[in-house]
Amino acid sequence: MNKLDEILEALRQCANPDHVAGMARFGINPKDTLGISIPTLRKLAKQYKPDHELAQQLWASGIHEARILASMIDDPQKVTPEQMDTWASQFDSWDVCDQVCLNLFDKTPYAYTKAVEWSEKETEFLKRAGFALMASLAFHDKSAPNAAFEAFFPIILRHASDERNFVKKAVNWALRQIGKRNRYLQQRAIEVAQQMATLDSKAARWNAKDTLRELNQKNLPN
């Protein structure tokens, strides 16, 4: 049995149909979904990573959890912009989008460029990926200067009025995560949220209220 067949069999053995129903209630696409938890996938990934070729095969399977697993075992230094565009264009569930951004895409040399590029797209999950990538970078790229994230603020403000749920929540996540990096970015994010609150948009006002509620309670270092 080759590695792909081995890992797909392991996934099938972990399948939980009852869990799939629960995932669907949280807006996760149940199509080709096995109902496997993220901790279980992470444990399985440790046996195989890094493996760029296997990651491509897992993604091509179309299985929900196999695609998340692909993001856990791929080698970010071997990921190309073309691969990022292909995978992102095939996102069909918010959890796959977020996991791929958090596990893999934010570690590539193209992360900042793709965050900006995708945020301007119209397709819902591709647009979400842009903002999910901003949030992932804010969480993981500890050495990045403030200016790298300040560049995202005009984009976040420009798209704060998008009423689509999966975009709206990603915009919110990006702004809050950037604002949690340090006191300076916290204040800048609060200013952006205050601008959002003046927009004639329910989504923008929701974003502003949620961001201000969280960031005004944070006591961050300089």
Side-chain angles (χ1 to χ4, degrees), residues 70-111:
S71 74
M72 295 176 178
I73 70 171
D74 206 346
D75 182 346
Q77 297 308 310
K78 293 183 178 180
V79 172
T80 64
E82 292 76 19
Q83 177 187 333
M84 294 175 74
D85 286 334
T86 297
W87 285 22
S89 70
Q90 295 173 8
F91 289 155
D92 61 358
S93 189
W94 66 263
D95 62 324
V96 175
C97 171
D98 296 359
Q99 285 294 323
V100 173
C101 289
L102 281 163
N103 297 331
L104 181 64
F105 284 174
D106 68 347
K107 299 174 181 65
T108 70
Y110 319 106

Side-chain angles (χ1 to χ4, degrees), residues 6 12 35 93 98 119 127 168 177-178:
E6 180 181 286
R12 293 186 186 100
S93 189
D98 296 359
S119 69
K127 194 179 195 75
K168 179 179 74 173
Q177 198 64 53
I178 292 170

